[in-house]
Amino acid sequence: MNQLMAIGHKSELRERAISDAAAANVFETLVTEHYLRLVKIAYAVVRDASAAQDIAQDGCALLWQQRAAVFVLPAPERWLMKTCWLLAKNQRRRQHRQAARSNVSLREGGDESELAAVAAPTNDPVVDLIARRVWDALPATERELLW
């Protein structure tokens, strides 16, 4: 009986190792294909290149942590993009609160040269559509703050 349990345990470990390898492959593919989009989405909200890259990395870390739930979704890349957008909105709120406390104008925060370096336009209609939807979803007061 113990031998059967040991064989079953080894089989379970083997299956888990295969599923972990498969998850790592899915994760790597998603990150490789969508990382630049994630940075651009975050930059559209926070207007800071370094913060946008941090947000994209945080989104990827959350993807890995939530992989069991996310990888079964029909479009896990949508979850990843929305997560980064929400993280960027949270960062923008923190910036806004901090600026309000220190009476610093948020209009002075964005550097247009950062946009050229990180979010240079591509001929990718998906990125343009996402950026447009993110922009349109922002309340007018937040759009005013971004420009």
Side-chain angles (χ1 to χ4, degrees), residues 111-124:
D111 180 2
E112 292 301 319
S113 65
E114 291 177 349
L115 179 60
V118 173
T122 65
N123 292 325
D124 188 342

Side-chain angles (χ1 to χ4, degrees), residues 4 8 15 17 19 23-25 27 34 60 73 81 85-87 103 107 109 118-119 128 137-138:
L4 288 176
E15 287 178 23
S19 67
N25 287 336
F27 175 79
H34 300 287
C60 293
L73 297 174
M81 286 185 244
W85 180 66
L86 292 171
L87 289 170
N103 290 328
R107 291 177 190 254
V118 173
D128 294 340
L138 291 173

